Structures are given as structure tokens and as C-alpha cells.
Amino acid sequence: MSREFLAIAREHWAKYPHMEPRDFAKLAYQSEFGPAHMVQSPDKVLAALLAERKEAGPEPIPPEPVGGGLCRFHITQTLSTLSELPLIGRMFRLTMAQTEGTEEGLLEKLAALEALPVPGMAEYLEGWRREGCPPVHHSEAFRNAYNPHYRVLQTRMAGFLPALVPIDRLVREHYAAWLRRGSWGEPLPGESPLAHRHRNGLRPFLAAVDGRCGSGKTGFAKLAEQLIPGSKHIAHMDDCYLPWESRASNWMEIPAGNMDLNRVREEILLPVRNGTPLTYPPFLHEGPVLDEYGEPIEIDPDDAELILVEGTYSQHPALAGFYDYKIFLTCDRDEQTRRLQAREGDYFPTFDRVWRTLEERYFAACGTEGAADLVVDTTGFFG
């Protein structure tokens, strides 16, 4: 870990040669603890972002890794005050809540920094250790030279921002368009505002995220659930496998031949379109009994503003026409292999030979990537 951080520190030093020991200490602190010390209310976070946007430069700056799966996400005038900034504020608060560092980890990084030939480094770090390593600001030299305006975010959040922004915006526009169509009477006794809207013709916004195994589909769906305002439901394609006895004899030659696409359409997508409750039993992949279904998942569309269908084959041509928005996630082949090896362990050779091969045949046969509204390459998201 210390070697990885030292390499990151060298990269920052090469890019910002006016860095002083205090700036290296700040980098180490952010790498270990992120923004955990900056406890702020949502309103204060957004107000600070709006103020910084006015002072920041006009050109976009790519996120800069600081280690520990975190990055500095730069605030610039290119960011929208209605779309990106509120999402970045929510990302910042979620990063605060989820980052857990240790004093031991910080001290290890400080020891690595002493290998850098920076004047006064050892003396500054020794004094900072005696103080208990409190949070520090950038040096005046750094601020004057580089005018820093950024927030420390999880790298995966920063990477997924371009995919989260359109979902967030389109859900709001979906509801705004419905409101412009007319006005309706008072809610029924005990009826929630959302149920009242749905009774008068509003249905949930329906999106799908498809893509290559290991590209981050499930992680993106979880982030959307956490970061997009309003009530949501995530439907997983893994819950809709076909039992072995129901598959065609040549199912491996059929795109999505292992999936019960009829169930997805009849039990998830059509009910969303029609405003009726969703009830679908999930396929059991593990446990004492396989090839059977678990207890039904029941979702009342009156309780959801966004329904996101997640997983490979979710944008099969038999289903694609139901969605309001389609996202496709991909990543570099070598990076995909590394992720799958870490995830699958000893099962990877079989997974690679069977499932990754079938998946690529589906993409080629159905043109899934080209038919999506947005394609996001996640190669550098999870380092």
C-alpha cells in the first residue's frame, strides 16, 4: 500500500511542483480518511459547491487518484448548478459516510513520503505526528499556484457521474412533463402524494443498465439507488434465469437462451407500463435447492419514482422498447479479466469459457452497445 501511495505522491509532485510538505501530508490524509472530517449538512455542502464554482477555472480537469479508491474531483465552471453540483454534493456526503481509514494506515503513508527529496519533509511530518496528524489546509504556495477547488470522492462515484446525471435529470423532466398535462383533484383518504400522482396517469421512470460482466452494473445500480432522489426499486436480471429443464436444447446458441425474458416482460416491464403491482419470484442460484424460485418480490409502482432493471440481457431486443433510458457499461478486456479473476476465484476459467463467451455473442448478435442511449467505459473506476 505504501509503494502504491508513494507512486501517487510522485505523480502529484510532477504535476504540481510547488507542493510543500504540508500538501503531501494533506494528500496522505485524504488518501486514508477522505473527507470524513468534513461533516456538513446537505444545504451547506451545496452552498459551498456553488460558491467554489464561481471561483474555479473554466476548463474541465480529470479526476486525480489519491489512493484508497478515492480521487480529487475538480469543481469547474463547466459543471451545471442544476445537474452535476447537487449530485456531487450527495456523492461527497456518501463518500464521507463510507470512508474508514486508520491511524496505522496514515502513518505508513507518512513513512513512505519521507523517501521523497522534498526540503523540510521529515521535519514537517515529525511535527505533524506530534500534533496527532489533524486535518490540514493546502500551503499558500500551492493555493497561489494552482487555485485548487475540488472534493474528495470515491473514484467509482466520480466515474459514474456522466451516467447518473441523465437519469437524475430525466426522472425530474418525466415528472415535470406530467405536471404540465393538467391538474387533478384531492388525494383519496390515506393516499400518498406519489400514489395520487400515479392514479392520475403518472408511471415510474423506467431505465436499464446492461453491459459486460465485471463492468460495474450492480455497483452502478446501488449508487443510483443511493444518489438519485426519490423512491426507487432495482430489478435484477439474475432473478430471471430460466431453470435448466425449461431451456432449449441449443440454448447456448441463442442470445439470452438462459434467461426467462417472458417473465421480465410480463412480470416487471408491463406492470410498470400499466401501473399495476409487480410480483416476481427470484430464481435461486445458491442454497440447498437450485432451479427453483424464492419468495416473490412484490413492488407497488405507486411507491416508486424510478425503476432500474440491472444486468446482462436487460436490453435484449424483446425488452429494449419498454425503457425510457438505456445505459451500457463496458471496460478494457484486460481490466475485465483482472476483475473477474478476483471475483470468481477458481471458477474463473469456467466462467470465462462459458459465460463471458455467451455474453459477447449476445452483444454482437443484438447490437446492444450501439443501441444504448449512453455507453460508459469503467476501466479506471475501481482502482
PDB file of all heavy atoms in Angstrom, residues 317-349:
ATOM      1  N   PRO A 317     -33.461  -7.134 -27.511  1.00  0.00           N
ATOM      2  CA  PRO A 317     -34.497  -6.528 -28.352  1.00  0.00           C
ATOM      3  C   PRO A 317     -35.929  -6.822 -27.923  1.00  0.00           C
ATOM      4  O   PRO A 317     -36.822  -6.004 -28.164  1.00  0.00           O
ATOM      5  CB  PRO A 317     -34.195  -7.113 -29.737  1.00  0.00           C
ATOM      6  CG  PRO A 317     -32.721  -7.354 -29.721  1.00  0.00           C
ATOM      7  CD  PRO A 317     -32.409  -7.789 -28.315  1.00  0.00           C
ATOM      8  N   ALA A 318     -36.154  -7.948 -27.247  1.00  0.00           N
ATOM      9  CA  ALA A 318     -37.505  -8.266 -26.790  1.00  0.00           C
ATOM     10  C   ALA A 318     -37.949  -7.362 -25.645  1.00  0.00           C
ATOM     11  O   ALA A 318     -39.145  -7.292 -25.340  1.00  0.00           O
ATOM     12  CB  ALA A 318     -37.572  -9.727 -26.349  1.00  0.00           C
ATOM     13  N   LEU A 319     -36.977  -6.662 -25.012  1.00  0.00           N
ATOM     14  CA  LEU A 319     -37.280  -5.830 -23.838  1.00  0.00           C
ATOM     15  C   LEU A 319     -36.961  -4.355 -24.064  1.00  0.00           C
ATOM     16  O   LEU A 319     -37.528  -3.495 -23.372  1.00  0.00           O
ATOM     17  CB  LEU A 319     -36.467  -6.325 -22.632  1.00  0.00           C
ATOM     18  CG  LEU A 319     -36.492  -7.825 -22.326  1.00  0.00           C
ATOM     19  CD1 LEU A 319     -35.548  -8.129 -21.162  1.00  0.00           C
ATOM     20  CD2 LEU A 319     -37.896  -8.294 -22.002  1.00  0.00           C
ATOM     21  N   ALA A 320     -36.072  -4.061 -24.985  1.00  0.00           N
ATOM     22  CA  ALA A 320     -35.483  -2.724 -25.086  1.00  0.00           C
ATOM     23  C   ALA A 320     -36.515  -1.623 -25.291  1.00  0.00           C
ATOM     24  O   ALA A 320     -36.342  -0.491 -24.818  1.00  0.00           O
ATOM     25  CB  ALA A 320     -34.462  -2.692 -26.220  1.00  0.00           C
ATOM     26  N   GLY A 321     -37.624  -1.919 -25.983  1.00  0.00           N
ATOM     27  CA  GLY A 321     -38.600  -0.893 -26.288  1.00  0.00           C
ATOM     28  C   GLY A 321     -39.386  -0.372 -25.100  1.00  0.00           C
ATOM     29  O   GLY A 321     -40.071   0.656 -25.207  1.00  0.00           O
ATOM     30  N   PHE A 322     -39.278  -1.032 -23.973  1.00  0.00           N
ATOM     31  CA  PHE A 322     -40.026  -0.608 -22.784  1.00  0.00           C
ATOM     32  C   PHE A 322     -39.347   0.532 -22.037  1.00  0.00           C
ATOM     33  O   PHE A 322     -39.989   1.232 -21.257  1.00  0.00           O
ATOM     34  CB  PHE A 322     -40.193  -1.788 -21.816  1.00  0.00           C
ATOM     35  CG  PHE A 322     -41.219  -2.795 -22.256  1.00  0.00           C
ATOM     36  CD1 PHE A 322     -40.856  -3.884 -23.035  1.00  0.00           C
ATOM     37  CD2 PHE A 322     -42.553  -2.660 -21.895  1.00  0.00           C
ATOM     38  CE1 PHE A 322     -41.799  -4.822 -23.434  1.00  0.00           C
ATOM     39  CE2 PHE A 322     -43.505  -3.582 -22.292  1.00  0.00           C
ATOM     40  CZ  PHE A 322     -43.127  -4.671 -23.074  1.00  0.00           C
ATOM     41  N   TYR A 323     -38.046   0.726 -22.252  1.00  0.00           N
ATOM     42  CA  TYR A 323     -37.283   1.621 -21.382  1.00  0.00           C
ATOM     43  C   TYR A 323     -37.340   3.075 -21.845  1.00  0.00           C
ATOM     44  O   TYR A 323     -37.376   3.370 -23.032  1.00  0.00           O
ATOM     45  CB  TYR A 323     -35.827   1.167 -21.307  1.00  0.00           C
ATOM     46  CG  TYR A 323     -35.659  -0.235 -20.787  1.00  0.00           C
ATOM     47  CD1 TYR A 323     -35.167  -1.251 -21.609  1.00  0.00           C
ATOM     48  CD2 TYR A 323     -36.013  -0.556 -19.483  1.00  0.00           C
ATOM     49  CE1 TYR A 323     -35.014  -2.548 -21.134  1.00  0.00           C
ATOM     50  CE2 TYR A 323     -35.869  -1.847 -18.998  1.00  0.00           C
ATOM     51  CZ  TYR A 323     -35.374  -2.845 -19.829  1.00  0.00           C
ATOM     52  OH  TYR A 323     -35.244  -4.124 -19.363  1.00  0.00           O
ATOM     53  N   ASP A 324     -37.287   3.961 -20.856  1.00  0.00           N
ATOM     54  CA  ASP A 324     -37.150   5.385 -21.131  1.00  0.00           C
ATOM     55  C   ASP A 324     -35.688   5.761 -21.380  1.00  0.00           C
ATOM     56  O   ASP A 324     -35.415   6.777 -22.024  1.00  0.00           O
ATOM     57  CB  ASP A 324     -37.682   6.204 -19.950  1.00  0.00           C
ATOM     58  CG  ASP A 324     -39.151   5.951 -19.688  1.00  0.00           C
ATOM     59  OD1 ASP A 324     -39.962   6.153 -20.612  1.00  0.00           O
ATOM     60  OD2 ASP A 324     -39.496   5.543 -18.558  1.00  0.00           O
ATOM     61  N   TYR A 325     -34.754   4.963 -20.842  1.00  0.00           N
ATOM     62  CA  TYR A 325     -33.329   5.286 -20.995  1.00  0.00           C
ATOM     63  C   TYR A 325     -32.525   4.012 -20.809  1.00  0.00           C
ATOM     64  O   TYR A 325     -32.827   3.198 -19.922  1.00  0.00           O
ATOM     65  CB  TYR A 325     -32.898   6.335 -19.982  1.00  0.00           C
ATOM     66  CG  TYR A 325     -31.595   7.028 -20.320  1.00  0.00           C
ATOM     67  CD1 TYR A 325     -31.536   7.964 -21.348  1.00  0.00           C
ATOM     68  CD2 TYR A 325     -30.428   6.760 -19.625  1.00  0.00           C
ATOM     69  CE1 TYR A 325     -30.357   8.616 -21.668  1.00  0.00           C
ATOM     70  CE2 TYR A 325     -29.243   7.403 -19.933  1.00  0.00           C
ATOM     71  CZ  TYR A 325     -29.217   8.332 -20.957  1.00  0.00           C
ATOM     72  OH  TYR A 325     -28.039   8.974 -21.272  1.00  0.00           O
ATOM     73  N   LYS A 326     -31.482   3.840 -21.645  1.00  0.00           N
ATOM     74  CA  LYS A 326     -30.670   2.623 -21.610  1.00  0.00           C
ATOM     75  C   LYS A 326     -29.189   2.997 -21.496  1.00  0.00           C
ATOM     76  O   LYS A 326     -28.678   3.784 -22.302  1.00  0.00           O
ATOM     77  CB  LYS A 326     -30.889   1.780 -22.873  1.00  0.00           C
ATOM     78  CG  LYS A 326     -32.341   1.377 -23.092  1.00  0.00           C
ATOM     79  CD  LYS A 326     -32.495   0.406 -24.257  1.00  0.00           C
ATOM     80  CE  LYS A 326     -32.111   1.014 -25.598  1.00  0.00           C
ATOM     81  NZ  LYS A 326     -33.044   2.101 -25.987  1.00  0.00           N
ATOM     82  N   ILE A 327     -28.511   2.417 -20.505  1.00  0.00           N
ATOM     83  CA  ILE A 327     -27.079   2.641 -20.280  1.00  0.00           C
ATOM     84  C   ILE A 327     -26.343   1.326 -20.510  1.00  0.00           C
ATOM     85  O   ILE A 327     -26.798   0.262 -20.061  1.00  0.00           O
ATOM     86  CB  ILE A 327     -26.811   3.148 -18.856  1.00  0.00           C
ATOM     87  CG1 ILE A 327     -27.457   4.524 -18.654  1.00  0.00           C
ATOM     88  CG2 ILE A 327     -25.314   3.227 -18.566  1.00  0.00           C
ATOM     89  CD1 ILE A 327     -27.417   5.009 -17.223  1.00  0.00           C
ATOM     90  N   PHE A 328     -25.209   1.400 -21.186  1.00  0.00           N
ATOM     91  CA  PHE A 328     -24.368   0.222 -21.412  1.00  0.00           C
ATOM     92  C   PHE A 328     -23.011   0.482 -20.777  1.00  0.00           C
ATOM     93  O   PHE A 328     -22.364   1.501 -21.049  1.00  0.00           O
ATOM     94  CB  PHE A 328     -24.195  -0.043 -22.913  1.00  0.00           C
ATOM     95  CG  PHE A 328     -23.457  -1.312 -23.229  1.00  0.00           C
ATOM     96  CD1 PHE A 328     -24.142  -2.503 -23.436  1.00  0.00           C
ATOM     97  CD2 PHE A 328     -22.071  -1.326 -23.330  1.00  0.00           C
ATOM     98  CE1 PHE A 328     -23.467  -3.683 -23.724  1.00  0.00           C
ATOM     99  CE2 PHE A 328     -21.385  -2.494 -23.616  1.00  0.00           C
ATOM    100  CZ  PHE A 328     -22.081  -3.678 -23.817  1.00  0.00           C
ATOM    101  N   LEU A 329     -22.558  -0.437 -19.911  1.00  0.00           N
ATOM    102  CA  LEU A 329     -21.261  -0.325 -19.253  1.00  0.00           C
ATOM    103  C   LEU A 329     -20.277  -1.300 -19.889  1.00  0.00           C
ATOM    104  O   LEU A 329     -20.618  -2.453 -20.171  1.00  0.00           O
ATOM    105  CB  LEU A 329     -21.376  -0.623 -17.751  1.00  0.00           C
ATOM    106  CG  LEU A 329     -22.350   0.233 -16.951  1.00  0.00           C
ATOM    107  CD1 LEU A 329     -22.252  -0.131 -15.469  1.00  0.00           C
ATOM    108  CD2 LEU A 329     -22.086   1.721 -17.147  1.00  0.00           C
ATOM    109  N   THR A 330     -19.056  -0.845 -20.097  1.00  0.00           N
ATOM    110  CA  THR A 330     -18.018  -1.683 -20.668  1.00  0.00           C
ATOM    111  C   THR A 330     -16.702  -1.402 -19.962  1.00  0.00           C
ATOM    112  O   THR A 330     -16.619  -0.483 -19.125  1.00  0.00           O
ATOM    113  CB  THR A 330     -17.884  -1.427 -22.189  1.00  0.00           C
ATOM    114  OG1 THR A 330     -16.960  -2.368 -22.745  1.00  0.00           O
ATOM    115  CG2 THR A 330     -17.401  -0.006 -22.461  1.00  0.00           C
ATOM    116  N   CYS A 331     -15.684  -2.181 -20.259  1.00  0.00           N
ATOM    117  CA  CYS A 331     -14.341  -1.912 -19.720  1.00  0.00           C
ATOM    118  C   CYS A 331     -13.327  -2.640 -20.584  1.00  0.00           C
ATOM    119  O   CYS A 331     -13.655  -3.534 -21.374  1.00  0.00           O
ATOM    120  CB  CYS A 331     -14.223  -2.344 -18.255  1.00  0.00           C
ATOM    121  SG  CYS A 331     -14.492  -4.093 -17.947  1.00  0.00           S
ATOM    122  N   ASP A 332     -12.075  -2.255 -20.440  1.00  0.00           N
ATOM    123  CA  ASP A 332     -10.984  -2.872 -21.169  1.00  0.00           C
ATOM    124  C   ASP A 332     -10.928  -4.375 -20.860  1.00  0.00           C
ATOM    125  O   ASP A 332     -11.160  -4.809 -19.739  1.00  0.00           O
ATOM    126  CB  ASP A 332      -9.669  -2.188 -20.756  1.00  0.00           C
ATOM    127  CG  ASP A 332      -8.468  -2.837 -21.376  1.00  0.00           C
ATOM    128  OD1 ASP A 332      -8.135  -2.507 -22.522  1.00  0.00           O
ATOM    129  OD2 ASP A 332      -7.866  -3.693 -20.709  1.00  0.00           O
ATOM    130  N   ARG A 333     -10.613  -5.174 -21.886  1.00  0.00           N
ATOM    131  CA  ARG A 333     -10.605  -6.640 -21.728  1.00  0.00           C
ATOM    132  C   ARG A 333      -9.655  -7.092 -20.621  1.00  0.00           C
ATOM    133  O   ARG A 333      -9.992  -7.965 -19.820  1.00  0.00           O
ATOM    134  CB  ARG A 333     -10.207  -7.277 -23.065  1.00  0.00           C
ATOM    135  CG  ARG A 333     -10.138  -8.805 -23.064  1.00  0.00           C
ATOM    136  CD  ARG A 333     -11.475  -9.425 -23.251  1.00  0.00           C
ATOM    137  NE  ARG A 333     -11.374 -10.888 -23.376  1.00  0.00           N
ATOM    138  CZ  ARG A 333     -12.416 -11.667 -23.602  1.00  0.00           C
ATOM    139  NH1 ARG A 333     -13.624 -11.157 -23.749  1.00  0.00           N
ATOM    140  NH2 ARG A 333     -12.259 -12.980 -23.696  1.00  0.00           N
ATOM    141  N   ASP A 334      -8.469  -6.527 -20.560  1.00  0.00           N
ATOM    142  CA  ASP A 334      -7.508  -6.936 -19.533  1.00  0.00           C
ATOM    143  C   ASP A 334      -8.027  -6.568 -18.143  1.00  0.00           C
ATOM    144  O   ASP A 334      -7.881  -7.351 -17.190  1.00  0.00           O
ATOM    145  CB  ASP A 334      -6.153  -6.291 -19.776  1.00  0.00           C
ATOM    146  CG  ASP A 334      -5.455  -6.847 -21.015  1.00  0.00           C
ATOM    147  OD1 ASP A 334      -5.822  -7.968 -21.441  1.00  0.00           O
ATOM    148  OD2 ASP A 334      -4.557  -6.171 -21.550  1.00  0.00           O
ATOM    149  N   GLU A 335      -8.599  -5.390 -18.021  1.00  0.00           N
ATOM    150  CA  GLU A 335      -9.146  -4.984 -16.732  1.00  0.00           C
ATOM    151  C   GLU A 335     -10.338  -5.862 -16.366  1.00  0.00           C
ATOM    152  O   GLU A 335     -10.510  -6.245 -15.199  1.00  0.00           O
ATOM    153  CB  GLU A 335      -9.568  -3.519 -16.786  1.00  0.00           C
ATOM    154  CG  GLU A 335     -10.313  -3.006 -15.553  1.00  0.00           C
ATOM    155  CD  GLU A 335      -9.485  -3.028 -14.282  1.00  0.00           C
ATOM    156  OE1 GLU A 335      -8.254  -3.246 -14.361  1.00  0.00           O
ATOM    157  OE2 GLU A 335     -10.074  -2.825 -13.206  1.00  0.00           O
ATOM    158  N   GLN A 336     -11.163  -6.212 -17.343  1.00  0.00           N
ATOM    159  CA  GLN A 336     -12.279  -7.114 -17.089  1.00  0.00           C
ATOM    160  C   GLN A 336     -11.777  -8.457 -16.577  1.00  0.00           C
ATOM    161  O   GLN A 336     -12.316  -9.011 -15.608  1.00  0.00           O
ATOM    162  CB  GLN A 336     -13.095  -7.308 -18.371  1.00  0.00           C
ATOM    163  CG  GLN A 336     -14.338  -8.183 -18.172  1.00  0.00           C
ATOM    164  CD  GLN A 336     -14.987  -8.570 -19.485  1.00  0.00           C
ATOM    165  OE1 GLN A 336     -14.306  -8.746 -20.500  1.00  0.00           O
ATOM    166  NE2 GLN A 336     -16.298  -8.707 -19.480  1.00  0.00           N
ATOM    167  N   THR A 337     -10.724  -8.981 -17.198  1.00  0.00           N
ATOM    168  CA  THR A 337     -10.155 -10.257 -16.752  1.00  0.00           C
ATOM    169  C   THR A 337      -9.667 -10.163 -15.313  1.00  0.00           C
ATOM    170  O   THR A 337      -9.912 -11.062 -14.494  1.00  0.00           O
ATOM    171  CB  THR A 337      -8.997 -10.670 -17.681  1.00  0.00           C
ATOM    172  OG1 THR A 337      -9.505 -10.872 -19.004  1.00  0.00           O
ATOM    173  CG2 THR A 337      -8.335 -11.952 -17.193  1.00  0.00           C
ATOM    174  N   ARG A 338      -8.975  -9.082 -14.994  1.00  0.00           N
ATOM    175  CA  ARG A 338      -8.477  -8.919 -13.618  1.00  0.00           C
ATOM    176  C   ARG A 338      -9.632  -8.906 -12.618  1.00  0.00           C
ATOM    177  O   ARG A 338      -9.569  -9.561 -11.568  1.00  0.00           O
ATOM    178  CB  ARG A 338      -7.681  -7.614 -13.516  1.00  0.00           C
ATOM    179  CG  ARG A 338      -7.022  -7.391 -12.156  1.00  0.00           C
ATOM    180  CD  ARG A 338      -6.431  -6.001 -12.052  1.00  0.00           C
ATOM    181  NE  ARG A 338      -7.458  -4.979 -12.017  1.00  0.00           N
ATOM    182  CZ  ARG A 338      -8.179  -4.689 -10.932  1.00  0.00           C
ATOM    183  NH1 ARG A 338      -8.007  -5.357  -9.807  1.00  0.00           N
ATOM    184  NH2 ARG A 338      -9.091  -3.730 -10.975  1.00  0.00           N
ATOM    185  N   ARG A 339     -10.691  -8.168 -12.921  1.00  0.00           N
ATOM    186  CA  ARG A 339     -11.837  -8.092 -12.014  1.00  0.00           C
ATOM    187  C   ARG A 339     -12.516  -9.445 -11.865  1.00  0.00           C
ATOM    188  O   ARG A 339     -12.897  -9.847 -10.755  1.00  0.00           O
ATOM    189  CB  ARG A 339     -12.842  -7.061 -12.524  1.00  0.00           C
ATOM    190  CG  ARG A 339     -12.341  -5.632 -12.519  1.00  0.00           C
ATOM    191  CD  ARG A 339     -13.387  -4.698 -13.126  1.00  0.00           C
ATOM    192  NE  ARG A 339     -12.879  -3.346 -13.305  1.00  0.00           N
ATOM    193  CZ  ARG A 339     -13.548  -2.370 -13.899  1.00  0.00           C
ATOM    194  NH1 ARG A 339     -14.766  -2.605 -14.383  1.00  0.00           N
ATOM    195  NH2 ARG A 339     -13.024  -1.169 -14.021  1.00  0.00           N
ATOM    196  N   LEU A 340     -12.695 -10.147 -12.977  1.00  0.00           N
ATOM    197  CA  LEU A 340     -13.383 -11.437 -12.920  1.00  0.00           C
ATOM    198  C   LEU A 340     -12.553 -12.480 -12.184  1.00  0.00           C
ATOM    199  O   LEU A 340     -13.100 -13.315 -11.448  1.00  0.00           O
ATOM    200  CB  LEU A 340     -13.710 -11.919 -14.338  1.00  0.00           C
ATOM    201  CG  LEU A 340     -14.750 -11.094 -15.096  1.00  0.00           C
ATOM    202  CD1 LEU A 340     -14.908 -11.614 -16.520  1.00  0.00           C
ATOM    203  CD2 LEU A 340     -16.097 -11.110 -14.376  1.00  0.00           C
ATOM    204  N   GLN A 341     -11.246 -12.450 -12.355  1.00  0.00           N
ATOM    205  CA  GLN A 341     -10.394 -13.377 -11.610  1.00  0.00           C
ATOM    206  C   GLN A 341     -10.513 -13.143 -10.111  1.00  0.00           C
ATOM    207  O   GLN A 341     -10.576 -14.090  -9.317  1.00  0.00           O
ATOM    208  CB  GLN A 341      -8.948 -13.235 -12.066  1.00  0.00           C
ATOM    209  CG  GLN A 341      -8.671 -13.818 -13.437  1.00  0.00           C
ATOM    210  CD  GLN A 341      -7.268 -13.522 -13.926  1.00  0.00           C
ATOM    211  OE1 GLN A 341      -6.651 -12.514 -13.539  1.00  0.00           O
ATOM    212  NE2 GLN A 341      -6.734 -14.378 -14.791  1.00  0.00           N
ATOM    213  N   ALA A 342     -10.548 -11.868  -9.718  1.00  0.00           N
ATOM    214  CA  ALA A 342     -10.694 -11.547  -8.293  1.00  0.00           C
ATOM    215  C   ALA A 342     -12.072 -11.961  -7.783  1.00  0.00           C
ATOM    216  O   ALA A 342     -12.215 -12.419  -6.645  1.00  0.00           O
ATOM    217  CB  ALA A 342     -10.476 -10.048  -8.077  1.00  0.00           C
ATOM    218  N   ARG A 343     -13.106 -11.801  -8.620  1.00  0.00           N
ATOM    219  CA  ARG A 343     -14.476 -12.102  -8.191  1.00  0.00           C
ATOM    220  C   ARG A 343     -14.776 -13.587  -8.197  1.00  0.00           C
ATOM    221  O   ARG A 343     -15.412 -14.109  -7.267  1.00  0.00           O
ATOM    222  CB  ARG A 343     -15.456 -11.376  -9.114  1.00  0.00           C
ATOM    223  CG  ARG A 343     -16.901 -11.451  -8.663  1.00  0.00           C
ATOM    224  CD  ARG A 343     -17.821 -10.769  -9.653  1.00  0.00           C
ATOM    225  NE  ARG A 343     -18.130 -11.613 -10.800  1.00  0.00           N
ATOM    226  CZ  ARG A 343     -18.863 -11.210 -11.846  1.00  0.00           C
ATOM    227  NH1 ARG A 343     -19.319  -9.966 -11.895  1.00  0.00           N
ATOM    228  NH2 ARG A 343     -19.118 -12.040 -12.842  1.00  0.00           N
ATOM    229  N   GLU A 344     -14.310 -14.311  -9.222  1.00  0.00           N
ATOM    230  CA  GLU A 344     -14.704 -15.705  -9.414  1.00  0.00           C
ATOM    231  C   GLU A 344     -13.724 -16.701  -8.809  1.00  0.00           C
ATOM    232  O   GLU A 344     -14.082 -17.869  -8.600  1.00  0.00           O
ATOM    233  CB  GLU A 344     -14.875 -15.997 -10.913  1.00  0.00           C
ATOM    234  CG  GLU A 344     -15.896 -15.120 -11.619  1.00  0.00           C
ATOM    235  CD  GLU A 344     -17.308 -15.338 -11.101  1.00  0.00           C
ATOM    236  OE1 GLU A 344     -17.587 -16.429 -10.574  1.00  0.00           O
ATOM    237  OE2 GLU A 344     -18.134 -14.409 -11.229  1.00  0.00           O
ATOM    238  N   GLY A 345     -12.496 -16.291  -8.556  1.00  0.00           N
ATOM    239  CA  GLY A 345     -11.524 -17.202  -7.972  1.00  0.00           C
ATOM    240  C   GLY A 345     -11.260 -18.409  -8.861  1.00  0.00           C
ATOM    241  O   GLY A 345     -11.045 -18.281 -10.067  1.00  0.00           O
ATOM    242  N   ASP A 346     -11.317 -19.597  -8.268  1.00  0.00           N
ATOM    243  CA  ASP A 346     -11.019 -20.825  -9.013  1.00  0.00           C
ATOM    244  C   ASP A 346     -12.028 -21.110 -10.117  1.00  0.00           C
ATOM    245  O   ASP A 346     -11.743 -21.893 -11.033  1.00  0.00           O
ATOM    246  CB  ASP A 346     -10.973 -22.021  -8.052  1.00  0.00           C
ATOM    247  CG  ASP A 346      -9.814 -21.938  -7.073  1.00  0.00           C
ATOM    248  OD1 ASP A 346      -8.845 -21.203  -7.375  1.00  0.00           O
ATOM    249  OD2 ASP A 346      -9.882 -22.591  -6.018  1.00  0.00           O
ATOM    250  N   TYR A 347     -13.200 -20.487 -10.046  1.00  0.00           N
ATOM    251  CA  TYR A 347     -14.232 -20.727 -11.053  1.00  0.00           C
ATOM    252  C   TYR A 347     -13.995 -19.901 -12.313  1.00  0.00           C
ATOM    253  O   TYR A 347     -14.661 -20.118 -13.333  1.00  0.00           O
ATOM    254  CB  TYR A 347     -15.608 -20.384 -10.469  1.00  0.00           C
ATOM    255  CG  TYR A 347     -16.780 -20.646 -11.393  1.00  0.00           C
ATOM    256  CD1 TYR A 347     -17.099 -21.943 -11.794  1.00  0.00           C
ATOM    257  CD2 TYR A 347     -17.564 -19.596 -11.870  1.00  0.00           C
ATOM    258  CE1 TYR A 347     -18.170 -22.184 -12.640  1.00  0.00           C
ATOM    259  CE2 TYR A 347     -18.644 -19.822 -12.719  1.00  0.00           C
ATOM    260  CZ  TYR A 347     -18.936 -21.127 -13.095  1.00  0.00           C
ATOM    261  OH  TYR A 347     -19.998 -21.353 -13.936  1.00  0.00           O
ATOM    262  N   PHE A 348     -13.016 -18.996 -12.289  1.00  0.00           N
ATOM    263  CA  PHE A 348     -12.827 -18.078 -13.423  1.00  0.00           C
ATOM    264  C   PHE A 348     -12.638 -18.782 -14.762  1.00  0.00           C
ATOM    265  O   PHE A 348     -13.255 -18.374 -15.755  1.00  0.00           O
ATOM    266  CB  PHE A 348     -11.655 -17.134 -13.173  1.00  0.00           C
ATOM    267  CG  PHE A 348     -11.285 -16.348 -14.404  1.00  0.00           C
ATOM    268  CD1 PHE A 348     -12.088 -15.305 -14.853  1.00  0.00           C
ATOM    269  CD2 PHE A 348     -10.149 -16.675 -15.149  1.00  0.00           C
ATOM    270  CE1 PHE A 348     -11.766 -14.601 -16.005  1.00  0.00           C
ATOM    271  CE2 PHE A 348      -9.828 -15.972 -16.301  1.00  0.00           C
ATOM    272  CZ  PHE A 348     -10.644 -14.934 -16.722  1.00  0.00           C
ATOM    273  N   PRO A 349     -11.795 -19.840 -14.895  1.00  0.00           N
ATOM    274  CA  PRO A 349     -11.630 -20.458 -16.226  1.00  0.00           C
ATOM    275  C   PRO A 349     -12.956 -20.928 -16.823  1.00  0.00           C
ATOM    276  O   PRO A 349     -13.196 -20.743 -18.022  1.00  0.00           O
ATOM    277  CB  PRO A 349     -10.683 -21.627 -15.943  1.00  0.00           C
ATOM    278  CG  PRO A 349      -9.904 -21.199 -14.748  1.00  0.00           C
ATOM    279  CD  PRO A 349     -10.888 -20.447 -13.897  1.00  0.00           C
TER     280      PRO A 349
END
